[in-house]
Amino acid sequence: AAAGVDDNGRLPYDFGEPVSTDFDTYGLNVTYELPWFSVTSQAGYLKFDQSYDDFNDTPSPSPRYLRVDGYDADMFAEELLLRSAEEGSWRWTLGGMYRDATDSIYQCFVSVSIPDGCEGQLPGLTEYTSESYAVFGEVTRRFAEGRFELTGGLRYFEEESAFQELIAFGPNLPPESLFGKSETFSATTPRVVLTWYPSAQLTAYTS
């Protein structure tokens, strides 16, 4: 049996293990119509914070500790889209997107007799970051009296992701990196779509 567990498999103690969660999310969508095309901007921001205590009841005379864990996330994303008017046999779309996100997980041990959170302790921190962007465009041509439609598009995407573990080696010292790694990923993706409109009630396409 684990240390401190009674005959019923329970771990008795009189300390709470509270969980605190707080998040804010914002979004903004703006479209401006011009005679030949429209411009649309979509932006979003998310901030998420969570912390919780995990009580560690080790047998006396060992010290009794709380493990303080937390998770923080920040994310911003923006997409800008230019789209031609629907009239006519030619249509086009141009756009781009950007995303920046950070996820942090921290953990520290504090004495139950001095429950002052992680301040002045030796916290461990794991941090993930991701920054990405993409640009894309496509052109559509309708022909054969509107019965067929051909679309060709291209998208370029790039993302830089990083991971690192940090720890403070003394009270009130800034965290130092123990391990870290970063990678950059990219892709160019073409797209071709042929659409057939045999009637007003039926559409068939191949992509």
Short mmCIF file of all heavy atoms in Angstrom, two decimals, residues 50-85:
data_model
loop_
_atom_site.label_atom_id
_atom_site.label_comp_id
_atom_site.label_asym_id
_atom_site.label_seq_id
_atom_site.Cartn_x
_atom_site.Cartn_y
_atom_site.Cartn_z
N GLN A 50 -4.91 28.09 -14.93
CA GLN A 50 -5.44 27.11 -13.99
C GLN A 50 -4.36 26.71 -13.00
O GLN A 50 -3.20 26.52 -13.37
CB GLN A 50 -5.94 25.86 -14.72
CG GLN A 50 -6.59 24.84 -13.81
CD GLN A 50 -7.09 23.63 -14.57
OE1 GLN A 50 -6.29 22.82 -15.02
NE2 GLN A 50 -8.40 23.50 -14.70
N SER A 51 -4.73 26.61 -11.73
CA SER A 51 -3.80 26.14 -10.70
C SER A 51 -4.55 25.20 -9.76
O SER A 51 -5.76 25.34 -9.55
CB SER A 51 -3.21 27.31 -9.91
OG SER A 51 -4.22 28.00 -9.20
N TYR A 52 -3.82 24.25 -9.19
CA TYR A 52 -4.44 23.31 -8.26
C TYR A 52 -3.37 22.78 -7.30
O TYR A 52 -2.18 22.72 -7.62
CB TYR A 52 -5.13 22.16 -9.00
CG TYR A 52 -4.30 21.46 -10.05
CD1 TYR A 52 -3.58 20.32 -9.76
CD2 TYR A 52 -4.25 21.96 -11.35
CE1 TYR A 52 -2.83 19.68 -10.72
CE2 TYR A 52 -3.49 21.33 -12.32
CZ TYR A 52 -2.78 20.18 -12.00
OH TYR A 52 -2.03 19.56 -12.96
N ASP A 53 -3.83 22.40 -6.11
CA ASP A 53 -2.94 21.90 -5.06
C ASP A 53 -3.11 20.39 -4.92
O ASP A 53 -4.23 19.88 -4.94
CB ASP A 53 -3.25 22.56 -3.72
CG ASP A 53 -2.99 24.06 -3.73
OD1 ASP A 53 -2.29 24.51 -4.64
OD2 ASP A 53 -3.50 24.75 -2.84
N ASP A 54 -2.00 19.70 -4.76
CA ASP A 54 -2.00 18.25 -4.55
C ASP A 54 -1.30 17.98 -3.23
O ASP A 54 -0.09 18.16 -3.10
CB ASP A 54 -1.28 17.56 -5.71
CG ASP A 54 -1.38 16.05 -5.62
OD1 ASP A 54 -2.00 15.55 -4.66
OD2 ASP A 54 -0.83 15.36 -6.51
N PHE A 55 -2.06 17.56 -2.23
CA PHE A 55 -1.51 17.38 -0.89
C PHE A 55 -0.75 16.07 -0.80
O PHE A 55 -1.24 15.02 -1.19
CB PHE A 55 -2.65 17.41 0.13
CG PHE A 55 -2.19 17.23 1.56
CD1 PHE A 55 -1.39 18.18 2.15
CD2 PHE A 55 -2.57 16.12 2.29
CE1 PHE A 55 -0.96 18.03 3.46
CE2 PHE A 55 -2.15 15.97 3.59
CZ PHE A 55 -1.36 16.92 4.18
N ASN A 56 0.46 16.13 -0.26
CA ASN A 56 1.31 14.95 -0.10
C ASN A 56 1.45 14.68 1.38
O ASN A 56 2.22 15.35 2.09
CB ASN A 56 2.67 15.20 -0.75
CG ASN A 56 3.61 14.02 -0.60
OD1 ASN A 56 3.15 12.90 -0.40
ND2 ASN A 56 4.90 14.27 -0.70
N ASP A 57 0.74 13.67 1.89
CA ASP A 57 0.73 13.36 3.32
C ASP A 57 1.72 12.24 3.59
O ASP A 57 1.38 11.06 3.59
CB ASP A 57 -0.68 12.95 3.75
CG ASP A 57 -0.79 12.85 5.28
OD1 ASP A 57 0.20 13.21 5.95
OD2 ASP A 57 -1.84 12.43 5.76
N THR A 58 2.98 12.60 3.78
CA THR A 58 3.99 11.61 4.11
C THR A 58 4.00 11.38 5.62
O THR A 58 3.71 12.28 6.41
CB THR A 58 5.39 12.08 3.67
OG1 THR A 58 5.61 13.39 4.20
CG2 THR A 58 5.46 12.14 2.15
N PRO A 59 4.30 10.14 6.07
CA PRO A 59 4.25 9.84 7.50
C PRO A 59 5.23 10.70 8.29
O PRO A 59 6.30 11.07 7.80
CB PRO A 59 4.63 8.37 7.56
CG PRO A 59 4.40 7.84 6.18
CD PRO A 59 4.67 8.97 5.27
N SER A 60 4.85 11.05 9.51
CA SER A 60 5.71 11.80 10.42
C SER A 60 6.96 10.95 10.71
O SER A 60 6.88 9.72 10.77
CB SER A 60 4.94 12.09 11.70
OG SER A 60 5.74 12.81 12.59
N PRO A 61 8.15 11.51 10.90
CA PRO A 61 8.39 12.95 11.03
C PRO A 61 8.73 13.65 9.71
O PRO A 61 9.27 14.74 9.73
CB PRO A 61 9.58 12.99 11.97
CG PRO A 61 10.38 11.78 11.57
CD PRO A 61 9.36 10.73 11.20
N SER A 62 8.46 13.00 8.57
CA SER A 62 8.76 13.66 7.31
C SER A 62 7.90 14.92 7.16
O SER A 62 6.76 14.95 7.64
CB SER A 62 8.48 12.71 6.14
OG SER A 62 9.30 11.56 6.23
N PRO A 63 8.39 15.94 6.49
CA PRO A 63 7.59 17.17 6.32
C PRO A 63 6.38 16.92 5.43
O PRO A 63 6.39 16.04 4.57
CB PRO A 63 8.58 18.14 5.67
CG PRO A 63 9.59 17.26 5.01
CD PRO A 63 9.72 16.05 5.87
N ARG A 64 5.34 17.66 5.65
CA ARG A 64 4.13 17.54 4.86
C ARG A 64 4.13 18.65 3.82
O ARG A 64 4.31 19.82 4.14
CB ARG A 64 2.90 17.64 5.77
CG ARG A 64 2.97 16.66 6.93
CD ARG A 64 1.88 16.95 7.94
NE ARG A 64 0.62 16.33 7.55
CZ ARG A 64 -0.54 16.63 8.13
NH1 ARG A 64 -0.60 17.55 9.07
NH2 ARG A 64 -1.65 16.02 7.74
N TYR A 65 3.90 18.26 2.58
CA TYR A 65 4.05 19.19 1.48
C TYR A 65 2.77 19.29 0.66
O TYR A 65 1.98 18.36 0.57
CB TYR A 65 5.19 18.77 0.54
CG TYR A 65 6.57 18.99 1.11
CD1 TYR A 65 7.30 17.92 1.60
CD2 TYR A 65 7.12 20.26 1.14
CE1 TYR A 65 8.57 18.12 2.13
CE2 TYR A 65 8.38 20.47 1.66
CZ TYR A 65 9.11 19.40 2.15
OH TYR A 65 10.35 19.60 2.67
N LEU A 66 2.62 20.43 0.04
CA LEU A 66 1.67 20.63 -1.04
C LEU A 66 2.44 20.75 -2.35
O LEU A 66 3.44 21.46 -2.41
CB LEU A 66 0.85 21.90 -0.83
CG LEU A 66 -0.35 21.84 0.11
CD1 LEU A 66 -0.88 23.26 0.32
CD2 LEU A 66 -1.44 20.96 -0.46
N ARG A 67 1.96 20.02 -3.35
CA ARG A 67 2.51 20.22 -4.68
C ARG A 67 1.59 21.18 -5.42
O ARG A 67 0.42 20.88 -5.61
CB ARG A 67 2.62 18.91 -5.44
CG ARG A 67 3.48 19.03 -6.72
CD ARG A 67 3.50 17.75 -7.51
NE ARG A 67 2.23 17.55 -8.19
CZ ARG A 67 1.77 16.35 -8.55
NH1 ARG A 67 2.44 15.26 -8.23
NH2 ARG A 67 0.62 16.24 -9.19
N VAL A 68 2.11 22.31 -5.81
CA VAL A 68 1.33 23.33 -6.50
C VAL A 68 1.58 23.19 -8.00
O VAL A 68 2.71 23.29 -8.46
CB VAL A 68 1.69 24.75 -6.02
CG1 VAL A 68 0.87 25.79 -6.76
CG2 VAL A 68 1.48 24.86 -4.52
N ASP A 69 0.53 22.90 -8.75
CA ASP A 69 0.63 22.74 -10.19
C ASP A 69 -0.17 23.84 -10.87
O ASP A 69 -1.17 24.33 -10.33
CB ASP A 69 0.07 21.38 -10.63
CG ASP A 69 0.82 20.22 -10.01
OD1 ASP A 69 0.45 19.80 -8.90
OD2 ASP A 69 1.79 19.76 -10.63
N GLY A 70 0.25 24.18 -12.07
CA GLY A 70 -0.47 25.20 -12.81
C GLY A 70 -0.29 25.03 -14.30
O GLY A 70 0.68 24.42 -14.77
N TYR A 71 -1.26 25.55 -15.03
CA TYR A 71 -1.22 25.51 -16.49
C TYR A 71 -1.70 26.85 -17.01
O TYR A 71 -2.78 27.32 -16.64
CB TYR A 71 -2.10 24.39 -17.02
CG TYR A 71 -2.28 24.41 -18.53
CD1 TYR A 71 -1.23 24.05 -19.36
CD2 TYR A 71 -3.49 24.79 -19.10
CE1 TYR A 71 -1.38 24.09 -20.74
CE2 TYR A 71 -3.65 24.83 -20.48
CZ TYR A 71 -2.59 24.46 -21.29
OH TYR A 71 -2.74 24.50 -22.65
N ASP A 72 -0.89 27.48 -17.84
CA ASP A 72 -1.22 28.78 -18.44
C ASP A 72 -1.12 28.67 -19.96
O ASP A 72 -0.20 28.03 -20.48
CB ASP A 72 -0.27 29.89 -17.96
CG ASP A 72 -0.33 30.09 -16.45
OD1 ASP A 72 -1.38 29.80 -15.87
OD2 ASP A 72 0.69 30.52 -15.87
N ALA A 73 -2.06 29.30 -20.65
CA ALA A 73 -2.03 29.29 -22.11
C ALA A 73 -2.42 30.67 -22.63
O ALA A 73 -3.34 31.30 -22.11
CB ALA A 73 -3.00 28.24 -22.66
N ASP A 74 -1.68 31.11 -23.65
CA ASP A 74 -1.99 32.35 -24.35
C ASP A 74 -1.94 32.06 -25.85
O ASP A 74 -0.99 31.44 -26.34
CB ASP A 74 -0.96 33.44 -24.02
CG ASP A 74 -1.12 33.96 -22.61
OD1 ASP A 74 -1.92 34.88 -22.42
OD2 ASP A 74 -0.45 33.44 -21.70
N MET A 75 -2.96 32.52 -26.58
CA MET A 75 -3.01 32.27 -28.02
C MET A 75 -3.65 33.45 -28.73
O MET A 75 -4.70 33.95 -28.32
CB MET A 75 -3.80 30.99 -28.31
CG MET A 75 -3.71 30.51 -29.76
SD MET A 75 -4.89 31.32 -30.88
CE MET A 75 -6.43 30.72 -30.24
N PHE A 76 -2.99 33.89 -29.79
CA PHE A 76 -3.53 34.94 -30.66
C PHE A 76 -3.52 34.43 -32.09
O PHE A 76 -2.54 33.81 -32.54
CB PHE A 76 -2.70 36.23 -30.57
CG PHE A 76 -3.07 37.25 -31.60
CD1 PHE A 76 -4.21 38.02 -31.44
CD2 PHE A 76 -2.31 37.41 -32.74
CE1 PHE A 76 -4.59 38.96 -32.41
CE2 PHE A 76 -2.66 38.34 -33.72
CZ PHE A 76 -3.81 39.11 -33.54
N ALA A 77 -4.62 34.67 -32.81
CA ALA A 77 -4.71 34.24 -34.21
C ALA A 77 -5.39 35.33 -35.02
O ALA A 77 -6.31 36.00 -34.54
CB ALA A 77 -5.48 32.93 -34.32
N GLU A 78 -4.92 35.50 -36.25
CA GLU A 78 -5.48 36.49 -37.16
C GLU A 78 -5.52 35.91 -38.57
O GLU A 78 -4.56 35.26 -39.02
CB GLU A 78 -4.64 37.77 -37.16
CG GLU A 78 -4.81 38.68 -38.37
CD GLU A 78 -6.15 39.40 -38.39
OE1 GLU A 78 -6.78 39.52 -37.32
OE2 GLU A 78 -6.57 39.83 -39.48
N GLU A 79 -6.63 36.12 -39.26
CA GLU A 79 -6.75 35.72 -40.66
C GLU A 79 -7.28 36.91 -41.46
O GLU A 79 -8.26 37.54 -41.05
CB GLU A 79 -7.67 34.53 -40.83
CG GLU A 79 -7.79 34.08 -42.29
CD GLU A 79 -8.66 32.85 -42.48
OE1 GLU A 79 -8.12 31.73 -42.36
OE2 GLU A 79 -9.87 33.02 -42.71
N LEU A 80 -6.64 37.18 -42.58
CA LEU A 80 -7.05 38.26 -43.48
C LEU A 80 -7.42 37.64 -44.82
O LEU A 80 -6.64 36.87 -45.40
CB LEU A 80 -5.92 39.28 -43.65
CG LEU A 80 -6.27 40.53 -44.45
CD1 LEU A 80 -7.31 41.37 -43.69
CD2 LEU A 80 -5.02 41.37 -44.69
N LEU A 81 -8.62 37.96 -45.31
CA LEU A 81 -9.13 37.31 -46.52
C LEU A 81 -9.66 38.36 -47.49
O LEU A 81 -10.46 39.23 -47.11
CB LEU A 81 -10.25 36.34 -46.15
CG LEU A 81 -10.77 35.42 -47.24
CD1 LEU A 81 -9.67 34.45 -47.68
CD2 LEU A 81 -11.98 34.64 -46.74
N LEU A 82 -9.20 38.29 -48.74
CA LEU A 82 -9.71 39.12 -49.82
C LEU A 82 -10.44 38.19 -50.79
O LEU A 82 -9.87 37.20 -51.26
CB LEU A 82 -8.58 39.85 -50.55
CG LEU A 82 -7.96 41.08 -49.87
CD1 LEU A 82 -7.11 40.68 -48.68
CD2 LEU A 82 -7.14 41.88 -50.88
N ARG A 83 -11.68 38.55 -51.09
CA ARG A 83 -12.50 37.68 -51.93
C ARG A 83 -13.20 38.51 -53.00
O ARG A 83 -13.78 39.55 -52.70
CB ARG A 83 -13.53 36.95 -51.06
CG ARG A 83 -14.40 35.97 -51.82
CD ARG A 83 -15.35 35.27 -50.87
NE ARG A 83 -14.62 34.42 -49.94
CZ ARG A 83 -14.99 34.20 -48.68
NH1 ARG A 83 -16.04 34.82 -48.18
NH2 ARG A 83 -14.29 33.38 -47.92
N SER A 84 -13.17 38.02 -54.24
CA SER A 84 -13.78 38.75 -55.34
C SER A 84 -15.30 38.69 -55.24
O SER A 84 -15.87 37.84 -54.52
CB SER A 84 -13.33 38.16 -56.68
OG SER A 84 -13.83 36.83 -56.81
N ALA A 85 -15.95 39.59 -55.96
CA ALA A 85 -17.41 39.56 -56.00
C ALA A 85 -17.88 38.30 -56.72
O ALA A 85 -17.16 37.70 -57.53
CB ALA A 85 -17.93 40.81 -56.72
#
